[in-house]
Amino acid sequence: MGRSRRTGPAEGGQADRREESKLALARLGAWLEERGLKHSRQRDVIVETFFAMGGHVPVDGLVARVRTLDARVSVATVYRTLKLLSECGIAVPRRFEDGQTRYEPATDRSHHDHLICTGCGRIVEFENERIEELQQRVARSHGFEVDSHKLELYGRCDRCRRAEAGTKDARS
Amino acid sequence: MGRSRRTGPAEGGQADRREESKLALARLGAWLEERGLKHSRQRDVIVETFFAMGGHVPVDGLVARVRTLDARVSVATVYRTLKLLSECGIAVPRRFEDGQTRYEPATDRSHHDHLICTGCGRIVEFENERIEELQQRVARSHGFEVDSHKLELYGRCDRCRRAEAGTKDARS
DNA sequence: CCCATGTTGATAACGATTCTCAATATCACG
DNA sequence: CGTGATATTGAGAATCGTTATCAACATGGG
């Protein structure tokens, strides 16, 4: 039932990330050349940093991190690069309830949805065939042909719930 | 399979709306008094207009409409009033992909999700028990206790698909 | 009717994102 | 290795939706 793969920015092998980063850079390069665009130092740094961070990266976080490597990259460039990445299928933008866009590395794996902890902000990915099927069915029954969807579950993760219980016990 | 009730701002009885509006106004009044707040002319106008519009009302649309009745109501007041309404459970804010908040009249009926046409913007509400159950299950299997969720299906409604097919035929 | 207190309108401020544009980097070509 | 055409950059202005500020103004209990 809903196998998950990466449970947060903190997990996932570093080696994998570097690998992903390389592939992405190559793919971006090809994509740029195809349309007569050029590549640049800052795009490379941004892509590498993005993959090094993994998980669901908020733009300002990425900017901050990138600037530890090259203090003069502008926010505009980061935004532009991220848009490029999503255009060439390397990254996917996500907008959760907090109103800021986060990007996650695109995987060739199938679509997934998110479980978001309102306590610690942890984001867990999951996929569930049955839910997708039901969505299709509901949509069709209303005459719709779905081409994308957004499913986010907000709640508290086990860690946060335990922590709460702890403080409650301590208090009483 | 997913009974829907109101399929858009254009549908739903006027009489029902006026009824809803009255109830809401009364409820708001009580709520205000409970906490020593005052009521005002503009709040009344806003609430009435809100219910007259029905459906999923974007704030700027509401402002525009309200101003046909009283040209000097400020956006700030509309925002403030809408926030009040959601605090006292009369309206519910929704944020879809277009990035602007819309409000819908809160119903005592159970939670529902949305089907959004990317062609004409039509919004259809639906509910589906099975999906909710599955969500709970998936969440639990990851140690989460869900307390809210967001499910939006984006696609083209039958009308828009037919329209597209039409233009395609005409062209070829 | 009065006054303490809540509400309003105008506008400034905000955060996230995009745009503008002059300065600069890249790259294909000679 | 230049050189020029053109893509990219950085800084800051602009935009959008929304919230905060604050003086002027309602509201309603006494």
Side-chain angles (χ1 to χ4, degrees), chain A residues 38 40 42-43 72 74 77 80:
Chain A
K38 298 171 179 177
S40 73
Q42 26 278 79
R43 300 226 256 235
R72 74 193 80 195
S74 72
T77 298
R80 287 188 279 235

Side-chain angles (χ1 to χ4, degrees), chain A residues 92-102 111-114 116 126 131-132 135 146-154, chain B residues 95-99 111 113-116 126 131 135 149-155:
Chain A
V92 179
R94 301 274 181 191
R95 206 144 63 278
F96 302 126
E97 292 289 73
D98 66 354
Q100 74 177 205
T101 304
R102 286 154 199 272
H111 170 85
H112 61 261
D113 296 303
H114 297 90
I116 298 146
F126 70 86
I131 292 181
E132 313 260 314
Q135 288 177 1
V146 176
D147 38 53
S148 78
H149 74 248
K150 167 182 268 197
L151 170 57
E152 289 154 20
L153 308 181
Y154 294 88
Chain B
R95 236 243 240 10
F96 301 126
E97 291 289 73
D98 67 354
H111 169 85
D113 297 304
H114 297 89
L115 209 38
I116 297 146
F126 68 87
I131 292 180
Q135 288 176 1
H149 74 248
K150 168 181 266 196
L151 171 55
E152 290 153 20
L153 308 181
Y154 293 88

Side-chain angles (χ1 to χ4, degrees), chain A residues 142, chain B residues 1-7 124-127:
Chain A
H142 286 283
Chain B
M1 172 187 311
R3 309 107 283 173
S4 71
R5 44 176 169 287
R6 191 189 301 111
T7 50
V124 176
E125 300 174 356
F126 68 87
E127 17 183 316

